[in-house]
Amino acid sequence: GENISSNLHTIKSLALKLQPASDKKYPIPRVLEVRGEVYMGHQDFQKLNKQRKHNKEVLFANPRNAAAGSLKLLDPRITAKRRLNFFIHSFSDIEGGKAFNSQWEFLHTAKQWALRISPNIKLCKDITGVINYCNKWQDKRSNLQYEIDGVVVKVNSIQQQKKLGYTLKSPRWAVAYKFPAHQVTTRVKNIRLQVGRTGVITPVAELRPVECAGVTISKATLHNFDEINRLDVRIGDRILLERAGEVIPKIIKVIESVRTGKEKCFNPPKQCPVCGGPIAGEKEGEVAFRCANSSCPAQIERSLLHFASRSTMDIEGLGKSIVEQLIASKLVLTLDKIYALNKESLLKLDLFAEKRAENLLLSIEKSKSRPLERLFFALGIRHVGEKAAQILAEKYPSMDKLMEAKAEDLQSIAEIGPVMAESIEEFFNNKTARRLIESLKRFGVGMSQARPGKKPQILINKTFVFTGELNGYTRPQAEDLIREMGGRSSSSVSKNTAYLVAGSSPGSKYDKAKKLGINILDEKGFRELIKK
């Protein structure tokens, strides 16, 4: 979502102008969209960290972080000194040029156009060739001048790629073969407990710092107490650790053969580690322990951050440091107290000057008129995510109606299962939750879809899918408009889709919509439709 064009211009291996191919069969197209990877080589990464160490700056943990950080810099002159590199691996859109028959054909033509491709690509005749190639690079990965975590295998024929199509998240004609994760051993120094916004208590292993695949790891989640029992992990144990998917630290097993007998077992807590409140034990079918005190400071902090996030009440300026200070000063200890804040109280805090206080109060005031589904999601009801909140708002157009809904009524909605239904009923049966709702009402937070200036319901039962980038709306804004007019949005195209709205650089959804005969609107057509 960030504009990094000026920084990309500093990458010497990324051509600023295409060169005509020696093969006249493929002239330079009028529009060409290619996709690729920016990376930093091992030697350049070491030089950068050496320089940062000399300047007494924080060192980058690995080349990946260094490359990403370099692309986000505001000054392209600094990016230019980072010696970034670039490979292309595929194309998304070609207009005004000859269509390619295969991936292989495209890559070699792109090379002639002066676009850099990996020198290690290979066309394999059969699956045995693919397996041999993957095994080869699994053994030789350390010989490369940059980090890799696997090999991408693609169907070569473009025609076959189109027939295979896409799932919601990925193409069916390509698969990533991941190499076995890097593994190391280290000691468990301690196990501490972390409390989430719904009160779930998560055990986290504090480790003796160890380097794994270029990253220093000092902690790893143990997920829940069943996982502690399954691994039989104890404080003081030597454990085998890996970076799952080269990203997330994961404890694989305990090395029991080196136990000394001094290791300490870790038992589930009898009270909340933050507030000392009572613990709600495991429910049937669940493995979570939970702090039962809704006023627990740990829950409040995470609940406030969730309540203010962009996908919920969208209170700009209410970030982590401000939330921490509001709680520490006891100005905000429940969600509703956000709306009791005033300029005088904010200016007493270290982080606020006049303008910042005014901007936050303005953003808080705007949040009162957010769509009802945003409020449903913001309340932090267990198991209710963004999509479920939208479905609930369609079925229950006011907070009062949802509060009175019984679990059996909720389960009659196709997308709502028994666990979510029981969670919703349990939430609204809680006296604390009901007091919160009443307080939010008094502060003027909208509790109904039927607000003044309600938009005409011309899109009842019509499903929209968006693809590409819209200039006049963010994706959430466009989806909110659809819902306000009675429609609904979906992330995937199907025969039930009424309209596909295609912005610039549309993806595979566009092709699927054409194939199914779905109505396709550009942004101008979308504007005209919603203004009818």
Side-chain angles (χ1 to χ4, degrees), residues 39-42 87 116 118-120 141 144-148:
Y39 70 94
M40 182 178 287
H42 291 306
F87 284 138
R116 189 165 180 258
S118 168
N120 299 308
R141 62 193 290 195
L144 290 169
Q145 294 303 307
Y146 48 88
E147 289 188 349
I148 62 169

Side-chain angles (χ1 to χ4, degrees), residues 8-16 80 83-86 114 116:
L8 288 175
H9 289 162
T10 69
I11 301 175
K12 292 181 180 179
S13 56
L14 177 57
L16 298 180
R83 297 178 64 83
L84 296 174
N85 242 311
F86 185 77
R116 189 165 180 258

Side-chain angles (χ1 to χ4, degrees), residues 227-336:
E227 182 72 353
I228 290 178
N229 292 334
R230 185 185 72 80
L231 292 168
D232 188 24
V233 63
R234 305 173 189 180
I235 297 169
D237 266 335
R238 178 165 284 280
I239 50 98
L240 181 66
L241 179 81
E242 73 174 27
R243 285 182 68 203
E246 301 292 335
V247 179
I248 303 166
K250 180 181 180 182
I251 295 175
I252 302 302
K253 68 175 184 178
V254 172
I255 305 172
E256 295 183 14
S257 59
V258 298
R259 276 184 172 162
T260 64
K262 294 181 180 179
E263 295 79 13
K264 296 179 182 177
C265 293
F266 188 83
N267 298 313
K270 294 183 178 178
Q271 59 185 36
C272 173
V274 175
C275 70
I279 294 291
E282 298 170 279
K283 288 188 175 183
E284 187 178 348
E286 296 184 4
V287 294
F289 281 75
R290 218 171 263 101
C291 171
N293 174 19
S294 59
S295 299
C296 173
Q299 290 186 60
I300 291 168
E301 180 184 327
R302 289 172 175 80
S303 296
L304 284 169
L305 289 170
H306 173 71
F307 189 85
S309 65
R310 189 173 296 178
S311 58
T312 54
M313 303 305 276
D314 194 13
I315 303 177
E316 190 175 349
L318 199 58
K320 191 173 189 301
S321 56
I322 288 177
V323 164
E324 286 174 351
Q325 195 168 60
L326 289 173
I327 293 171
S329 63
K330 298 186 178 180
L331 281 174
V332 178
L333 294 178
T334 54
L335 297 178
D336 54 318

Side-chain angles (χ1 to χ4, degrees), residues 425-442:
E425 184 179 27
E426 184 181 310
F427 178 86
F428 287 115
N429 282 341
N430 184 290
K431 290 181 181 178
T432 302
R434 285 184 170 264
R435 283 198 296 268
L436 171 65
I437 301 297
E438 289 305 314
S439 181
L440 290 171
K441 282 182 183 178
R442 288 194 296 273

Side-chain angles (χ1 to χ4, degrees), residues 372-487:
L372 185 60
E373 63 265 20
R374 297 279 200 96
L375 180 58
F376 285 168
F377 185 31
L379 290 173
I381 305 169
R382 285 179 59 233
H383 306 302
V384 175
E386 190 171 0
K387 184 65 177 176
Q390 293 171 10
I391 293 165
L392 290 170
E394 289 173 11
K395 182 71 175 177
Y396 300 98
S398 74
M399 182 66 73
D400 289 339
K401 289 185 183 299
L402 180 59
M403 287 173 71
E404 300 309 318
K406 301 299 180 186
E408 54 266 30
D409 300 326
L410 291 161
Q411 286 183 63
S412 67
I413 304 169
E415 295 90 342
I416 307 295
V419 173
M420 191 190 298
E422 287 174 15
S423 177
I424 294 167
E425 184 179 27
E426 184 181 310
F427 178 86
F428 287 115
N429 282 341
N430 184 290
K431 290 181 181 178
T432 302
R434 285 184 170 264
R435 283 198 296 268
L436 171 65
I437 301 297
E438 289 305 314
S439 181
L440 290 171
K441 282 182 183 178
R442 288 194 296 273
F443 281 117
V445 177
M447 295 280 164
S448 171
Q449 294 285 42
R451 297 193 182 107
K454 180 180 176 183
K455 295 185 180 297
Q457 302 294 284
I458 61 173
L459 303 178
I460 290 287
N461 297 327
K462 296 189 185 300
T463 300
F464 285 71
V465 176
F466 292 86
T467 183
E469 185 178 345
L470 301 177
N471 292 320
Y473 309 91
T474 64
R475 183 72 60 83
Q477 285 172 342
E479 291 175 345
D480 283 348
L481 272 172
I482 294 300
R483 287 191 288 274
E484 286 174 22
M485 301 175 82

Side-chain angles (χ1 to χ4, degrees), residues 496-508:
N496 298 319
T497 303
Y499 294 97
L500 177 85
V501 181
S504 59
S505 304
S508 60

